[in-house]
Amino acid sequence: MADEILSVRDVTKHFPLTQGVLFRHEIGQVKAVDGVSFELRKGETLGLVGESGCGKSTLARILMGAERPTSGSVRFEDRDVFALSRPELRALRRRMQLVMQDPYTSLNPRMTVGDIVGEPFAVHGDPEGGRRKRVRELLEIVGLDPDHVNRYPHQFSGGQRQRIGIARALALRPDVIICDEPVSALDVSVQAQVMNLLADLQREFGLSYVFIAHDLAVVRHISDRVAVMYLGKIVETGDEEQIYDHPTHPYTQALLSAVPVPDPTKRTGQIVLEGDVPSPTNPPSGCRFRTRCWKAEEICATEEPALEARPGRSAHPSACHFAGESDRS
Ligand SMILES: Nc1ncnc2c1ncn2[C@@H]1O[C@H](COP(=O)(O)OP(=O)(O)O)[C@@H](O)[C@H]1O
Ligand code: SF4
Ligand SMILES: [Mg+2]
């Protein structure tokens, strides 16, 4: 499709699990990402949600071209990211940026804010009008005082540090920003401010976002479409309304029923997810969610449900043999 900027096809990433110190041998594989496909359209936000350990950051690194997938492909516009020459990869790096969860560990504490935000120019060349001017402009764009260019990261609050990370990501005027849990480490009130900033920047600069979170509530307002991940796979995907108002996969339903509501006494039929997420080294046979699913039947252990729309039960893709709107939430 012409308006797709990023296209991800059947991507897997299996890390070898090794044992031994002198003679390391492989005793298994961590199936961190296990067959993920999606498209990102120009100017939209795709929310990518799942519990910790389900493969979100691994996928983010693959999208950035920073880690090679075990199989599958990533295309930026119509180019295969993993078939690019070095100069082409450099050019791609200008157009796609990453904003990470913890701004403190991703910002060098010994560099001034001006140097941090201006760092991409050292690699890719100075902008028109000069580096200093552009850095001040960038600080202003993200709501920071340009007179603070000579301060160090520790002199800023958590929310301000995330703004510094965003300013740096914007420096080279990218088209796509992969946001890997950019607000997860922030207080709720600060989260909203940073989310609003990201939404404003998207409108102003026509950015496309893949917005990663472990909580469905966080991405609701910024997402046009949402993909829910469980143990390395997308289990349900649809537009914002389909996922939040008509979820058909039991996992999505459970995640949504755990979203805090203003008056908890008004909540009915909360679904409690029991047990831990199984190990990605040895995922359950058939449907990976079956060890925690209240709807599981025999077929769930033997046949893996495909991620597809199911006429009459799910208008959007849902990887469940018994997909359908819940009567429990
Ligand atoms: N370099 C690596 N080597 C081995 N296992 C890894 C590596 N990176 C991530 N993993 C494993 O892959 C799984 C997915 O991790 P990650 O992508 O960080 O998930 P998330 O971001 O959703 O929390 C986890 O089980 C993690 O321990
Ligand atoms: S396929 Fe079975 S185990 Fe998996 S989500 Fe659906 S009902 Fe639950
Ligand atoms: Mg992560």
Side-chain angles (χ1 to χ4, degrees):
M1 236 165 72
D3 68 344
E4 278 165 13
I5 191 153
L6 206 57
S7 169
V8 178
R9 278 281 146 260
D10 303 322
V11 163
T12 67
K13 182 71 190 184
H14 296 175
F15 295 107
L17 192 66
T18 56
Q19 203 176 45
V21 181
L22 275 180
F23 302 101
R24 301 192 75 81
H25 57 280
E26 195 172 317
I27 53 166
Q29 288 186 327
V30 182
K31 294 172 179 162
V33 178
D34 213 15
V36 165
S37 302
F38 64 83
E39 265 81 44
L40 180 69
R41 299 170 196 145
K42 282 190 181 134
E44 81 163 349
T45 298
L46 176 75
L48 192 65
V49 178
E51 283 164 289
S52 176
C54 73
K56 305 182 297 295
S57 295
T58 304
L59 190 57
R61 289 196 300 276
I62 293 171
L63 298 181
M64 297 292 302
E67 181 140 38
R68 193 168 272 279
T70 306
S71 62
S73 69
V74 177
R75 299 180 82 81
F76 186 89
E77 290 175 338
D78 55 352
R79 317 284 311 271
D80 181 342
V81 169
F82 295 97
L84 297 178
S85 64
R86 263 171 193 278
E88 287 170 330
L89 195 60
R90 246 169 74 103
L92 172 78
R93 293 255 155 85
R94 298 187 68 117
R95 302 189 54 194
M96 191 146 63
Q97 295 290 321
L98 181 66
V99 172
M100 287 190 292
Q101 171 172 1
D102 186 350
Y104 205 57
T105 54
S106 63
L107 303 180
N108 186 335
R110 282 180 295 275
M111 279 167 76
T112 65
V113 167
D115 288 339
I116 290 169
V117 174
E119 196 176 38
F121 303 129
V123 182
H124 291 273
D126 277 351
E128 240 176 87
R131 196 184 298 191
R132 283 187 67 85
K133 179 164 169 275
R134 179 71 180 138
V135 165
R136 291 181 67 89
E137 237 171 59
L138 285 162
L139 291 177
E140 214 155 341
I141 287 171
V142 299
L144 292 171
D145 185 344
D147 290 337
H148 292 171
V149 285
N150 293 322
R151 296 196 178 181
Y152 291 89
H154 74 265
Q155 294 174 285
F156 293 86
S157 69
Q160 288 173 324
R161 284 197 290 263
Q162 194 51 283
R163 287 172 195 264
I164 298 168
I166 293 167
R168 182 175 56 184
L170 288 174
L172 301 170
R173 305 180 191 276
D175 298 295
V176 176
I177 300 186
I178 312 292
C179 303
D180 189 359
E181 307 215 34
V183 299
S184 299
L186 304 176
D187 291 343
V188 175
S189 60
V190 183
Q191 278 188 0
Q193 293 166 13
V194 174
M195 294 299 288
N196 288 340
L197 170 68
L198 287 165
D200 290 346
L201 295 172
Q202 177 167 50
R203 272 191 298 276
E204 194 170 340
F205 300 112
L207 297 164
S208 312
Y209 291 153
V210 174
F211 202 105
I212 296 173
H214 58 253
D215 182 340
L216 270 166
V218 167
V219 298
R220 173 155 203 174
H221 296 293
I222 203 165
S223 297
D224 301 291
R225 292 185 302 126
V226 175
V228 179
M229 271 185 91
Y230 188 77
L231 268 184
K233 283 182 187 287
I234 292 175
V235 296
E236 180 167 9
T237 178
D239 62 32
E240 188 257 2
E241 195 195 324
Q242 288 169 328
I243 296 297
Y244 290 90
D245 297 339
H246 307 284
T248 61
H249 193 285
Y251 181 56
T252 313
Q253 289 163 353
L255 289 181
L256 280 172
S257 84
V259 167
V261 289
D263 179 358
T265 60
K266 295 231 170 83
R267 183 173 22 220
T268 53
Q270 184 182 359
I271 303 161
V272 178
L273 271 183
E274 278 162 21
D276 293 328
V277 182
S279 162
T281 306
N282 190 16
S285 64
C287 174
R288 289 179 181 203
F289 184 57
R290 71 178 165 83
T291 54
R292 300 168 83 196
C293 183
W294 67 94
K295 272 176 137 181
E297 304 222 7
E298 224 165 288
I299 185 179
C300 304
T302 54
E303 274 182 44
E304 188 174 340
L307 178 64
E308 61 191 15
R310 293 160 191 270
R313 294 186 290 127
S314 185
H316 54 277
S318 182
C320 172
H321 294 304
F322 305 105
E325 289 193 43
S326 173
D327 43 17
R328 289 187 48 172
S329 60

